[in-house]
Amino acid sequence: MALDLSLPHSGFHSQRRAFNNYPWHVAFFVLCIAALGVWNLASASRSAHAPVWISQLTWMGAGVCAALAIGFVDYRRFMRGAYVFYALVLLLLVAVMLKGRVVMGARRWLTIGPLNLQPSELAKIAVALALARWFHLDAGKRRDGYGLLSLVVPAGMTLVPALLVLKQPDLGTALIVVAVGATIILFARVRWQALVTVVVVVAVGAVFAYPHLKPYQKRRVETYLDPEGDVLGAGYHATQSMIAVGSGQGAGKGWGQGTQTLLSFLPEQHTDFIFSVWAEEHGFVGCLLLLALYYALVVSALGIAGNARDRFGHFLAVGVSGMLFWHVFVNMGMVMAILPVVGVTLPLMSYGGSSIVAVMLGIGLLNNVGMRRFVN
Amino acid sequence: MIDVPPPASPGAAQKEFRPGTSWMTAAASLAFLVLGVRLYQLQILRGDDYKERADGNFVKELRVPADRGFILDTGHRILVDSRPSYDVTLRPYFCGKQCDDTLSRLSSLLSLSEDEMGRAQERLRAARGLERFRPFTVKVDIAREELDIIEANRVPGALSGVDVIPAPHRNYRYGSWGGHLFGYMNEIGADELKKANEEIERRGDGETLPYQLGDYLGRRGLERRWESRLRGIDGVRRVVVDAKGNAKGGDLEDLIPEVQRFEPSRPGQNLVLSIDWRLQEFAEKFFPGTAGSVLAMDAKTGFLLALVDRPAPDPNKLSGRISRAEMLAIHNDPLRPELFRAIQEHYHPGSTFKVVTSIAALEEGALKPGGTVSCPGYYALGRHRWRCDKETGHGTVDLEHALGASCNVFYYALGERLGTDRIAKWARLLGLGRPTGFDIGGEITGVMPDEAWHDKHVAGGYQRGMALNVAIGQGDVNVTPMQQLVLYGALASGIVWKPQVVERIEDPSGQTVQQFAPVEAGRLPVKKETRDQVMKGLLAAVNQPFGTGYWSRIKDIQIDGKLLVMAGKTGTAQGVKLGARRLKAAQVTYSERDHAWFAAFAPADDPEIVVLVLNEHSGFGSSNAAPTASAVVRHYFELKRADALERAGVPFGPPPPPALVPAERAVPPAPAAPRTLEGPASAPAAAKGEKRGA
């Protein structure tokens, strides 16, 4: 039997019906966070030379348009293109390795015409799409859960791009790729024996892999274990960021008043450590608000996953939810020094075009699934 | 091709997915709870702590060094103060990889010596981690022009990490004069730092700030003894800095509340000495010795009036600008300039000791009043002949003559009668053999031997003949100049004074904080006749033609219509055993020459001043020590008279400057001008002063 990927209803009429069910609450949370993000960047970049929030706003606009545009195409059409997209991203990753631009010791950027692209950001979406398709087609075969052997393909689909990203080196993004893949796989129900085996293998592997890490990566792990051990060296980021967060206290120092931000004590203050700027200036109250927005976003995304009308939509929504969740958790955990320092952005708050576009693409796909939950 | 699963109905799919998403929602909730709790912990529970650390990040505290207290003489003349100067420091963190270039640039700008360069390179290499933020001194005390040179060369990127910081340096106005008394200052060492700060903590007055590396600490002398009083309390200036340590002005200044931006320093207290610097200056100039001491003491209080001690290194040099070579030169100098001779070196007292033997003999009944001894020029004990000063002999001498002419034979006889123990007993009562208590540290005890001492320290033990040597201040008798000063002070006043030099301590506004009273260490326990007898001998020594100090008598000073009479005693202490022939000082090498002593006080009937001169390795006391003592006594009374006149409203001292000369008259030939302007003005004034005193 031929694979029937044709869509039963496609046409303007059904589009309008789909938009009637658009998950506006998700859009609301996204826009709220995005607005706070731009506002926060305007403060964070006071000490820098360029007002980066303007460019952030531009990217944000582009991202919102892209997310809405995605809504016009039924997500099931993307299932057909999932592997193609995945292959394309792999190609881009290989291209980065060969011809990428080196910025601060890492080869992460690819210049195509006027665009500076970070293919690793796309890798997360590509893995989500590819795994969703794989599990969609694999449905019904393993009612009793997946064993190790049966997971070789999805695991490979996750690990290949992850390793390519790790090679750049970009440990943070590689971890997110793995986390997205692992989340999807877990949702497909894995046998507990398989789970235990994986955990043991990873633990043992970590011990053996540790000597092969790059010195800066090792330092980060050591710093995580003892953040105040080397206040001026590797622990500098962790220490200064904790100071920034803690010194925000209850109400914060006020917009533009964060001394850690103003006097450049925070490294990477508009990208990976943007949350410490927020925490310093808006305090516990502001942080709870932001945390609540992210929580609402993640829970809404999971809600969409739970209400998806088919397995592809379900796994795709799970992938996007996972991506959002892991970004938020790893980033905030790092800023608050409960996790080691790995370069992971805070969605919609961190400065960076590729990051915003990737998040917005994810949101677009998520809403696409959500708006078509009743569509047949 | 794969089988496509039958399209599940919406309801069925959601039944399948929902349990999974519920689990995931629960897990996400837990994760967000963890983040929330952590936020609460950081911001609410530990918020104050982090707030403090955030403030600490950008608040840079700069020390405002307190002005160190002055050292003043009794007339409030400044002897030691601080002058503005600059140190050049380098912070390795800020010059980064260019530190070597920066150093060599500095080297050419400041013409650093090899020494300074070597030290700087060492510090540079040693700096690791946090150390790299700490500035170290490249050159201390640069000249004003050098400061300008550095500022002129401050193009961006050229001298990063180089700071020129104001660092007041101690200014010893009279160079090496009084050098041992004042001591000097230099940088605190890492180990001392800990000790000094523990001491401060122990004292715990809550005001004294701990020392930091780079701080200067008083070394030796008054600087060390009174460090805690002189030091003062440093102030603090707080500035806003960014992560790179650059100071930020403008609006950012407001991050620090205005009241906290500056806490002024409080200057240290001033030491007012009993020294009259005019007398000191005079003594410094008059004293011909290469090495030795001139000490003058107020006979009625025990406070020192002058303290010449040489050789002494220049404390200005020791306090900073000294090179390793110069330091080495001081250490290797055979004259040992680092030694504070007045209290840290002892000598045979020679004939100046004879007063002790005299007192012992009279008090112990070994010499009856008016008792005589015949001097043939030698004294025989057993098979040994002990020589007298005068080879032909003094004839029959009594105490007055013996003390005045310094007859050794007379004292050999007393020594034999008394034995060492009885001499030692009286010497101790007069303050020998123990420290005088001069409160400056490092004082030695000297040696006053008795029989037991000889048994213990001399091969063969005590022998009778030793008493003969002890009786004339030779053998193993050793005294410091300060002890000898105290001894003659006791003869003069009847009180064994504890010599002191700090009269009072004042706060910067001149209010007395602490006044020091005279301290008696003992009283001279002798009968009046004994003192009278000895005094007669001391008067004879200076005022009788046969006296050894006759040449140095004071003939021309009257006090209240009475001629000023000085009493004293010469001494010529032999450092090495006498050879067969008597040699002149110039005929033997420096270190074999005798030490010249002279101790005196005046006026003899009611002594005010005690003077002791020790001229190391110079020869006879009569010719190399007595003139200085005499001149100092004389100058003391001249000053006293001048002060009295001034108090009475009669101007004294240099005449007032002549009226301003119009420019056209000042231009003509130089030689004529000064004569016409100054000659008539000054000469009569001096003559007038002279007449009034006479």
Side-chain angles (χ1 to χ4, degrees), chain A residues 276-296:
Chain A
S276 52
V277 175
W278 178 264
E280 184 184 17
E281 299 192 340
H282 304 287
F284 190 58
V285 174
C287 288
L288 281 191
L289 171 69
L290 194 61
L291 216 55
L293 285 171
Y294 278 119
Y295 180 67

Short mmCIF file of all heavy atoms in Angstrom, two decimals, chain A residues 276-296:
data_model
loop_
_atom_site.label_atom_id
_atom_site.label_comp_id
_atom_site.label_asym_id
_atom_site.label_seq_id
_atom_site.Cartn_x
_atom_site.Cartn_y
_atom_site.Cartn_z
N SER A 276 20.15 36.90 34.08
CA SER A 276 20.68 37.54 35.28
C SER A 276 20.45 39.05 35.24
O SER A 276 20.30 39.69 36.27
CB SER A 276 22.16 37.20 35.48
OG SER A 276 22.88 37.48 34.32
N VAL A 277 20.42 39.60 34.03
CA VAL A 277 20.10 41.03 33.91
C VAL A 277 18.67 41.26 34.41
O VAL A 277 18.40 42.16 35.20
CB VAL A 277 20.22 41.49 32.44
CG1 VAL A 277 19.78 42.93 32.30
CG2 VAL A 277 21.65 41.31 31.94
N TRP A 278 17.77 40.42 33.92
CA TRP A 278 16.37 40.53 34.33
C TRP A 278 16.25 40.37 35.85
O TRP A 278 15.58 41.14 36.54
CB TRP A 278 15.53 39.47 33.61
CG TRP A 278 14.09 39.50 34.01
CD1 TRP A 278 13.49 38.72 34.95
CD2 TRP A 278 13.08 40.37 33.51
NE1 TRP A 278 12.17 39.05 35.07
CE2 TRP A 278 11.89 40.06 34.19
CE3 TRP A 278 13.06 41.38 32.54
CZ2 TRP A 278 10.69 40.72 33.96
CZ3 TRP A 278 11.86 42.03 32.30
CH2 TRP A 278 10.70 41.71 33.01
N ALA A 279 16.92 39.34 36.36
CA ALA A 279 16.80 39.03 37.79
C ALA A 279 17.36 40.16 38.64
O ALA A 279 16.79 40.51 39.67
CB ALA A 279 17.55 37.73 38.11
N GLU A 280 18.45 40.75 38.19
CA GLU A 280 19.06 41.82 38.97
C GLU A 280 18.15 43.05 39.01
O GLU A 280 18.00 43.69 40.04
CB GLU A 280 20.42 42.20 38.38
CG GLU A 280 21.14 43.25 39.22
CD GLU A 280 22.45 43.72 38.62
OE1 GLU A 280 22.67 43.50 37.40
OE2 GLU A 280 23.23 44.32 39.36
N GLU A 281 17.55 43.34 37.85
CA GLU A 281 16.81 44.60 37.78
C GLU A 281 15.36 44.47 38.23
O GLU A 281 14.73 45.47 38.58
CB GLU A 281 16.89 45.16 36.37
CG GLU A 281 18.35 45.43 35.99
CD GLU A 281 18.52 46.24 34.74
OE1 GLU A 281 17.57 46.30 33.93
OE2 GLU A 281 19.61 46.83 34.57
N HIS A 282 14.81 43.26 38.18
CA HIS A 282 13.39 43.13 38.50
C HIS A 282 13.12 42.23 39.68
O HIS A 282 11.96 42.03 40.05
CB HIS A 282 12.61 42.68 37.26
CG HIS A 282 12.85 43.62 36.10
ND1 HIS A 282 12.30 44.87 36.05
CD2 HIS A 282 13.64 43.50 35.01
CE1 HIS A 282 12.73 45.48 34.94
NE2 HIS A 282 13.54 44.67 34.30
N GLY A 283 14.18 41.67 40.24
CA GLY A 283 14.05 40.97 41.50
C GLY A 283 13.19 39.72 41.46
O GLY A 283 12.85 39.20 40.40
N PHE A 284 12.86 39.25 42.63
CA PHE A 284 12.10 38.01 42.77
C PHE A 284 10.74 38.15 42.11
O PHE A 284 10.27 37.23 41.43
CB PHE A 284 11.96 37.71 44.27
CG PHE A 284 11.41 36.36 44.56
CD1 PHE A 284 12.05 35.22 44.08
CD2 PHE A 284 10.25 36.21 45.31
CE1 PHE A 284 11.55 33.96 44.36
CE2 PHE A 284 9.74 34.95 45.58
CZ PHE A 284 10.39 33.83 45.10
N VAL A 285 10.13 39.29 42.28
CA VAL A 285 8.79 39.50 41.70
C VAL A 285 8.84 39.37 40.19
O VAL A 285 8.07 38.61 39.58
CB VAL A 285 8.27 40.89 42.11
CG1 VAL A 285 6.96 41.19 41.41
CG2 VAL A 285 8.13 40.99 43.62
N GLY A 286 9.78 40.08 39.58
CA GLY A 286 9.92 40.02 38.12
C GLY A 286 10.26 38.62 37.65
O GLY A 286 9.77 38.16 36.61
N CYS A 287 11.11 37.95 38.40
CA CYS A 287 11.52 36.60 38.00
C CYS A 287 10.34 35.63 38.06
O CYS A 287 10.19 34.78 37.19
CB CYS A 287 12.64 36.09 38.90
SG CYS A 287 14.18 36.92 38.57
N LEU A 288 9.52 35.78 39.12
CA LEU A 288 8.35 34.91 39.22
C LEU A 288 7.41 35.13 38.05
O LEU A 288 6.87 34.18 37.48
CB LEU A 288 7.60 35.16 40.54
CG LEU A 288 8.21 34.51 41.77
CD1 LEU A 288 7.23 34.62 42.94
CD2 LEU A 288 8.54 33.05 41.52
N LEU A 289 7.26 36.39 37.65
CA LEU A 289 6.40 36.70 36.50
C LEU A 289 6.94 35.99 35.26
O LEU A 289 6.18 35.31 34.53
CB LEU A 289 6.37 38.22 36.29
CG LEU A 289 5.69 38.67 35.00
CD1 LEU A 289 4.19 38.41 35.06
CD2 LEU A 289 5.97 40.15 34.72
N LEU A 290 8.23 36.13 35.03
CA LEU A 290 8.83 35.52 33.84
C LEU A 290 8.73 33.99 33.91
O LEU A 290 8.40 33.33 32.92
CB LEU A 290 10.29 35.96 33.74
CG LEU A 290 10.95 35.70 32.39
CD1 LEU A 290 10.25 36.47 31.29
CD2 LEU A 290 12.43 36.10 32.44
N LEU A 291 9.00 33.47 35.09
CA LEU A 291 8.94 32.03 35.29
C LEU A 291 7.51 31.54 35.01
O LEU A 291 7.30 30.50 34.37
CB LEU A 291 9.33 31.72 36.74
CG LEU A 291 10.13 30.45 37.00
CD1 LEU A 291 11.38 30.43 36.15
CD2 LEU A 291 10.49 30.36 38.48
N ALA A 292 6.54 32.29 35.49
CA ALA A 292 5.14 31.92 35.28
C ALA A 292 4.80 31.91 33.80
O ALA A 292 4.10 31.02 33.31
CB ALA A 292 4.22 32.89 36.04
N LEU A 293 5.30 32.92 33.07
CA LEU A 293 5.02 32.97 31.62
C LEU A 293 5.61 31.76 30.91
O LEU A 293 4.96 31.12 30.08
CB LEU A 293 5.59 34.25 31.03
CG LEU A 293 4.79 35.54 31.34
CD1 LEU A 293 5.56 36.76 30.90
CD2 LEU A 293 3.42 35.47 30.64
N TYR A 294 6.88 31.43 31.26
CA TYR A 294 7.51 30.27 30.63
C TYR A 294 6.76 28.99 30.99
O TYR A 294 6.55 28.11 30.17
CB TYR A 294 8.98 30.15 31.04
CG TYR A 294 9.89 31.04 30.24
CD1 TYR A 294 10.63 32.03 30.84
CD2 TYR A 294 10.00 30.87 28.85
CE1 TYR A 294 11.48 32.84 30.10
CE2 TYR A 294 10.84 31.68 28.11
CZ TYR A 294 11.57 32.66 28.73
OH TYR A 294 12.40 33.45 27.99
N TYR A 295 6.36 28.91 32.25
CA TYR A 295 5.65 27.72 32.70
C TYR A 295 4.34 27.58 31.92
O TYR A 295 4.02 26.52 31.40
CB TYR A 295 5.38 27.83 34.20
CG TYR A 295 4.64 26.66 34.76
CD1 TYR A 295 5.24 25.39 34.80
CD2 TYR A 295 3.34 26.79 35.25
CE1 TYR A 295 4.55 24.31 35.32
CE2 TYR A 295 2.65 25.71 35.76
CZ TYR A 295 3.27 24.46 35.79
OH TYR A 295 2.59 23.38 36.29
N ALA A 296 3.64 28.70 31.82
CA ALA A 296 2.37 28.68 31.08
C ALA A 296 2.62 28.25 29.64
O ALA A 296 1.86 27.45 29.07
CB ALA A 296 1.74 30.07 31.11
#
